[in-house]
């Protein structure tokens, strides 16, 4: 007898009034709470912009580009999903308008529509619905976050799609959660509900009646005000949830649980659940809020005016602190300022220095000067992606005496391209030879996603991981130039991690330094508060040791 397919439930999270209210955190927290009650969940982020993915967008435009194991360049909210739950996301967990339209146009060119006129409605919502329902395998709940704000023109096809799904799937399988703002007006000494009322009115005009309202506020919303919101927005009073500001984002699931959001979801979707278990979350929050130690890390970047560009990095540092029972204070440093003011002035007193990834020549010499300062002053140094490449350049110039050594990304005429654009390499994930040159498309032409790496025993990397082989996520075009391998090793560089065939250098270290490590991949993408990444744990541990010495 054929096994009956599980009936998957869908939760759609929308936002109103203003952007940046925290839809991603709300969606991730709902997932964490449902997982804690024994349910299997997954996520989908739908973004309204026309870019096929955020890979070619400036961090100042979009914030961080999050990379998945299968090489998808995605919205940073997928990072929240993975940090809060056990879900591993991929290509199918993030769709943009550009990707949806691209799929429809490809089908039209192929003749899939049998000569019919292709229109925004029904074809675009149909493609969106397909992306949503295709995600359900054996999950109990699919949580779908709609990017943008209610009222945005570009979001309308997504909203039309989720409106239609309530009728095709049945109301017992679909639930709408609307995140909105209840601002405090200081002059009137009052919380105001009108923005929420107008936002829900806008949603109703599209044909969607929210089941739960999550109201962002800087304080608790009193019962009488919740009653008012419920009355004018057509929801039950116990479905008006306060989402107040918290000290750490990992408190959000706990506060939403205390407001009863998971109980409402379980009730409205008729989910069969076990008793909740939030002990781990509470222990993490306790460690974050009341650590025994503290440490200061300089983060030397080129996008520091927009902290969202380093979202996963900041969280991974926090996780490294959790593993060491320490608060990590991030000291933000603009690498361009180091070029003008000097590393000694701007990095004095730091317990550790981290140089993250980035693209383009701006601020690179400041990062190289940062490497030199950390090397000469024996300060724990962690270089990620470009941060590793800057370390290689600095060692080449100052220790290997390779005058004007550089990356060909920054100087095509450098006499010593210690970092260069590799023309072909073996893709272990797809089992193919990949080729690229300067004329290759920028979008999707990088080494993207998870790749294996063999570790050298007796190194900092091997000590941190405690294993011989690892898998980490990449996002870069340029690689270590093996032509300079022996001369750099003679100068003190240690190659502690390479691809299985030995062709690609993945991790470098430095002889005679207490803790100096650079990696070509992005370890921050695999760090969670419950499973802090080994390299961040080791780095914060080294910084604490330096501080106490």
């Amino acid at each position: 007898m054929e096994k009956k397919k599980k009936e998957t439930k869908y939760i759609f999270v929308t936002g109103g009034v203003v952007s940046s209210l925290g839809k991603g955190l709300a969606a991730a927290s709902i997932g964490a709470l449902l997982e804690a009650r024994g349910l299997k969940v997954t996520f989908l982020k739908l973004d309204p912009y026309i870019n096929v993915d955020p890979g070619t967008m400036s961090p100042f435009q979009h914030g961080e580009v999050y990379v998945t194991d299968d090489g998808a360049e995605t919205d940073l909210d997928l990072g929240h999903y993975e940090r809060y739950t056990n879900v591993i996301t991929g290509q199918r967990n993030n769709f943009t308008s550009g990707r949806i339209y691209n799929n429809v146009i490809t089908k039209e060119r192929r003749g899939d529509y049998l000569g019919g006129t292709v229109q925004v409605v029904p074809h675009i919502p149909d493609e969106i619905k397909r992306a949503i329902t295709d995600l359900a395998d054996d999950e109990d709940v699919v949580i779908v976050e709609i990017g943008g704000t209610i009222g945005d023109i570009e979001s309308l096809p997504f909203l039309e799609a989720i409106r239609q799904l309530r009728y095709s799937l049945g109301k017992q399988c679909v639930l709408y959660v609307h995140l909105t703002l209840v601002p405090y007006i200081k002059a009137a000494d009052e919380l105001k509900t009108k923005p929420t009322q107008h936002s829900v009115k806008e949603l109703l005009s599209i044909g969607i009646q929210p089941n739960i309202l999550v109201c962002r506020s800087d304080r608790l919303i009193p019962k009488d005000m919740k009653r008012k919101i419920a009355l004018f927005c057509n929801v039950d009073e116990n479905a008006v949830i306060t989402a107040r500001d918290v000290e750490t984002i990992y408190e959000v699931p706990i506060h939403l649980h205390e407001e009863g959001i998971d109980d409402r979801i379980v009730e409205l979707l008729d989910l069969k659940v076990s008793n909740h278990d939030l002990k781990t979350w509470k222990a993490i929050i306790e460690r974050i809020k009341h650590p025994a130690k503290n440490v200061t890390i300089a983060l030397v970047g080129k996008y520091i005016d927009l902290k969202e560009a380093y979202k996963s990095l900041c969280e991974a540092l926090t996780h490294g602190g959790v593993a060491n029972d320490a608060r990590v204070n991030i000291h933000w440093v603009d690498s361009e300022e180091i070029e003008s003011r000097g590393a000694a002035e701007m990095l004095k007193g730091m317990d550790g220095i981290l140089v993250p990834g980035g693209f383009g020549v701006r601020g690179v010499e400041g990062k190289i000067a940062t490497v030199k300062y950390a090397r000469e002053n024996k300060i724990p140094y962690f270089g990620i992606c470009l941060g590793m490449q800057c370390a290689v350049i600095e060692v080449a110039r100052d220790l290997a005496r390779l005058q004007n050594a550089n990356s060909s990304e920054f100087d095509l005429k450098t006499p010593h391209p210690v970092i260069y654009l590799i023309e072909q390499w073996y893709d272990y994930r797809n089992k193919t030879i990949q080729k690229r040159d300067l004329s290759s498309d920028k979008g999707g032409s990088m080494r993207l996603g998870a790749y294996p790496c063999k570790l050298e025993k007796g190194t900092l990397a091997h000590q941190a991981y405690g294993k011989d082989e690892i898998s980490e996520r990449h996002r870069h075009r340029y690689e270590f130039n093996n032509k300079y391998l022996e001369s750099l090793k003679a100068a003190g560089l240690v190659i502690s991690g390479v691809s299985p065939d030995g062709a690609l250098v993945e991790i470098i270290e430095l002889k005679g330094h207490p803790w100096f490590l650079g990696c070509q991949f992005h370890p921050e993408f695999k760090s969670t508060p419950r499973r802090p990444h080994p390299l961040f744990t080791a780095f914060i541990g080294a910084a604490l040791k330096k501080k106490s010495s």
Side-chain angles (χ1 to χ4, degrees):
M1 185 176 176
E2 188 178 343
K3 186 179 178 181
K4 185 180 178 182
K5 193 176 187 303
K6 182 186 291 185
E7 184 179 57
T8 301
K9 312 284 186 168
Y10 294 84
I11 299 173
F12 297 105
V13 181
T14 57
V17 186
V18 294
S19 59
S20 301
L21 282 180
K23 292 192 303 297
L25 287 175
S29 297
I30 289 169
L33 292 171
L34 295 181
E35 226 183 41
R37 301 189 75 159
L39 296 173
K40 187 174 183 182
V41 304
T42 192
F43 298 88
L44 175 61
K45 176 67 185 293
L46 297 173
D47 278 309
Y49 50 79
I50 300 296
N51 303 65
V52 172
D53 61 45
T56 58
M57 294 165 69
S58 164
F60 291 118
Q61 287 275 317
H62 185 267
E64 173 187 83
V65 174
Y66 190 77
V67 178
T68 62
D69 276 352
D70 65 0
E73 293 177 284
T74 73
D75 184 80
L76 60 82
D77 281 330
L78 271 71
H80 292 314
Y81 307 157
E82 291 198 349
R83 285 188 285 273
Y84 279 59
T85 68
N86 293 308
V87 174
I88 302 298
T89 60
Q91 294 277 357
R92 65 187 198 145
N93 297 94
N94 191 195
F95 276 80
T96 66
S97 286
R99 188 172 169 195
I100 293 291
Y101 275 84
N102 189 50
N103 288 352
V104 170
I105 292 167
T106 299
K107 289 178 180 180
E108 185 274 329
R109 293 288 83 190
R110 202 166 55 210
D112 289 10
Y113 297 113
L114 302 175
T117 302
V118 179
Q119 299 172 287
V120 172
V121 179
H123 297 99
I124 300 302
D126 283 351
E127 189 67 25
I128 294 167
K129 287 189 291 183
R130 190 172 296 109
I132 294 169
T133 55
D134 281 355
L135 199 58
D137 293 324
D138 62 340
E139 282 81 13
D140 298 294
V141 181
V142 175
I143 302 166
V144 182
E145 178 192 348
I146 311 296
T149 307
I150 297 302
D152 295 346
I153 292 172
E154 58 264 34
S155 297
L156 288 175
F158 293 112
L159 298 171
E160 174 60 18
I162 68 172
R163 183 194 70 79
Q164 291 179 17
L165 279 173
R166 183 173 174 85
Y167 293 95
S168 59
L169 297 173
K171 64 180 182 180
Q172 77 283 358
C173 290
V174 171
L175 185 143
Y176 301 112
V177 176
H178 188 52
L179 187 68
T180 185
L181 179 67
V182 179
Y184 172 72
I185 307 300
K186 188 175 181 181
D189 191 26
E190 278 186 308
L191 287 167
K192 292 295 184 181
T193 66
K194 196 63 73 177
T196 293
Q197 293 177 51
H198 280 294
S199 181
V200 172
K201 183 180 178 183
E202 188 78 32
L203 199 55
L204 286 168
S205 72
I206 298 166
I208 297 173
Q209 166 65 59
N211 304 101
I212 295 174
L213 293 178
V214 178
C215 302
R216 272 302 304 273
S217 177
D218 64 352
R219 62 202 68 206
L220 284 172
I221 299 171
K223 284 188 176 181
D224 60 338
M225 188 160 285
K226 284 187 174 184
R227 197 173 301 119
K228 179 183 177 182
I229 292 170
L231 177 65
F232 288 107
C233 296
N234 302 322
V235 299
D236 294 333
E237 189 178 333
N238 64 4
V240 179
I241 307 296
T242 301
R244 66 180 176 88
D245 295 349
V246 290
E247 188 176 329
T248 167
I249 61 172
Y250 300 112
E251 289 183 88
V252 176
I254 300 297
H255 281 276
L256 291 182
H257 167 70
E258 290 170 350
E259 284 283 306
I261 193 169
D262 47 327
D263 289 332
R264 298 291 79 73
I265 291 170
V266 166
E267 175 190 339
L268 291 166
L269 289 177
D270 191 26
L271 293 164
K272 308 298 182 226
V273 297
S274 57
N275 292 329
H276 57 77
D277 181 8
L278 298 172
K279 291 178 183 176
T280 302
W281 280 106
K282 290 176 179 177
I284 289 167
I285 293 165
E286 179 64 22
R287 276 210 151 190
I288 291 174
K289 294 178 73 171
H290 305 107
K293 298 160 280 189
N294 71 85
V295 67
T296 301
I297 302 297
L299 195 158
V300 183
K302 55 198 289 185
Y303 313 117
I304 64 168
D305 289 338
L306 184 69
K307 305 298 191 290
E308 290 275 277
Y310 301 111
K311 174 58 75 176
S312 291
L313 202 56
C314 294
E315 296 310 315
L317 286 169
T318 297
H319 306 157
V322 169
N324 286 280
D325 197 13
R327 174 176 286 110
V328 177
N329 303 304
I330 300 176
H331 179 65
W332 297 89
V333 181
D334 189 326
S335 58
E336 284 188 286
E337 282 196 55
I338 287 181
E339 292 176 358
S340 58
R341 294 172 56 186
E345 178 184 340
M346 300 198 66
L347 298 172
K348 185 179 179 182
M350 295 296 105
D351 302 315
I353 296 172
L354 189 151
V355 174
F359 295 90
V361 71
R362 182 176 63 84
V364 164
E365 289 301 324
K367 292 188 175 189
I368 295 170
T370 296
V371 175
K372 183 174 183 177
Y373 181 83
R375 177 177 63 79
E376 292 181 341
N377 291 279
K378 306 294 184 184
I379 300 170
Y381 175 81
F382 193 7
I384 294 174
C385 197
L386 178 58
M388 176 198 123
Q389 296 177 0
C390 288
V392 171
I393 294 168
E394 198 282 325
V395 169
R397 289 178 183 178
D398 285 5
L399 298 183
R401 304 300 181 195
L402 298 172
Q403 193 172 10
N404 296 320
N406 213 327
S407 166
S408 59
E409 178 183 6
F410 313 131
D411 181 6
L412 281 172
K413 296 180 179 179
T414 175
H416 299 293
V418 291
I419 304 294
Y420 78 131
L421 188 68
I422 192 168
E423 292 184 358
Q424 71 176 41
W425 48 278
Y426 183 69
D427 186 336
Y428 280 89
R429 192 172 62 250
N430 299 312
K431 311 299 183 191
T432 57
I433 298 294
Q434 296 289 330
K435 296 183 179 182
R436 65 161 84 93
D437 56 35
L438 290 174
S439 64
S440 299
D441 288 346
K442 291 288 187 287
S445 66
M446 293 185 279
R447 187 148 69 101
L448 289 165
Y451 287 91
C453 170
K454 289 167 55 181
L455 301 181
E456 184 72 24
K457 290 181 179 178
T459 60
L460 294 173
H462 192 273
Q463 182 181 346
Y465 283 100
K467 56 176 75 171
D468 297 335
E469 186 166 317
I470 58 170
S471 174
E472 293 284 2
R473 299 177 187 179
H474 292 250
R475 184 176 183 252
H476 60 97
R477 289 187 184 86
Y478 290 78
E479 305 277 358
F480 183 101
N481 191 342
N482 288 339
K483 174 185 173 182
Y484 295 93
L485 188 61
E486 294 307 317
S487 57
L488 290 173
K489 285 169 70 174
L493 201 70
V494 175
I495 308 302
S496 56
V498 295
S499 59
D501 61 3
L504 302 171
V505 171
E506 298 280 25
I507 310 174
I508 60 100
E509 299 175 16
L510 193 61
K511 285 181 183 176
H513 194 286
W515 206 93
F516 187 106
L517 186 145
C519 55
Q520 187 59 78
F521 47 80
H522 288 267
E524 68 269 27
F525 293 147
K526 296 188 80 168
S527 185
T528 79
R530 291 177 288 183
R531 295 178 296 278
H533 193 281
L535 291 184
F536 283 91
T537 299
F539 174 55
I540 297 303
L544 284 164
K545 187 176 180 180
K546 193 268 181 188
K547 181 177 181 177
S548 63
S549 64

